[in-house]
Every structure is written in C-alpha cells, then in structure tokens.
Amino acid sequence: MGLQDKVMAAMKDAMKEKNQEALAALRAVKSEILLVQTETGSKEELTEEQEIKILSKLVKQRKDSAAIFSQQNRAD
C-alpha cells in the first residue's frame, strides 16, 4: 500500500470522526502528492524516497510557519 492509499484511508477515517484538523493536514499531503505526480507527467506510484521528500518538505513548511506565528504572538 503506497502513501497515497494510506492518506486516502486516513482521510476517510478523519471524515467519519469529523476531525477537521487531521482532514486538512491529509488533504495538504494528498494535494502535494498530486502536484508532484503531474510535474513528472505520469500517474505512476511515487518511490518511497520521493514520498519521504514530500513529507519532509511539508513538515518543514509547517514548522517554519509555526515559528513565525509564535514570534508574532499569533495564536492561529
């Protein structure tokens, strides 16, 4: 089972549980996966290395945003 399949399953669970935060995060991951797939022009499964690279990029973006928000005393 690839990352995209796991994300879709987790999205379904989040929808059933009405967990909006998890759903938003999973949608961001799914969106990034689709963007990478369309950049290469193929619908093939991504390699594990590509999947890790995508997730690392998203985590870094979120951490940077959180740091900026805390520096500016923003709760959102």
Side-chain angles (χ1 to χ4, degrees):
M1 180 185 270
L3 178 65
Q4 194 167 10
D5 295 331
K6 291 178 184 177
V7 169
M8 290 299 295
M11 282 177 62
K12 289 176 187 176
D13 292 339
M15 284 182 205
K16 288 177 185 176
E17 296 170 4
K18 296 183 169 104
N19 186 345
Q20 296 300 316
E21 291 175 358
L23 186 59
L26 291 166
R27 284 182 175 158
V29 172
K30 180 183 173 195
S31 174
E32 191 66 27
I33 290 170
L34 291 175
L35 286 173
V36 170
Q37 283 181 332
T38 55
E39 283 177 2
T40 60
S42 67
K43 286 290 185 179
E44 295 178 13
E45 288 288 319
L46 298 174
T47 64
E48 187 173 335
E49 183 178 299
Q50 289 172 316
E51 292 171 347
I52 292 171
K53 186 177 177 181
I54 291 169
L55 293 176
S56 297
K57 176 184 165 189
L58 291 173
V59 168
K60 183 181 182 306
Q61 286 176 347
R62 298 315 186 272
K63 284 183 179 180
D64 291 345
S65 296
I68 291 170
F69 286 148
S70 66
Q71 288 173 355
Q72 297 177 354
N73 295 325
R74 294 178 54 184
D76 57 336

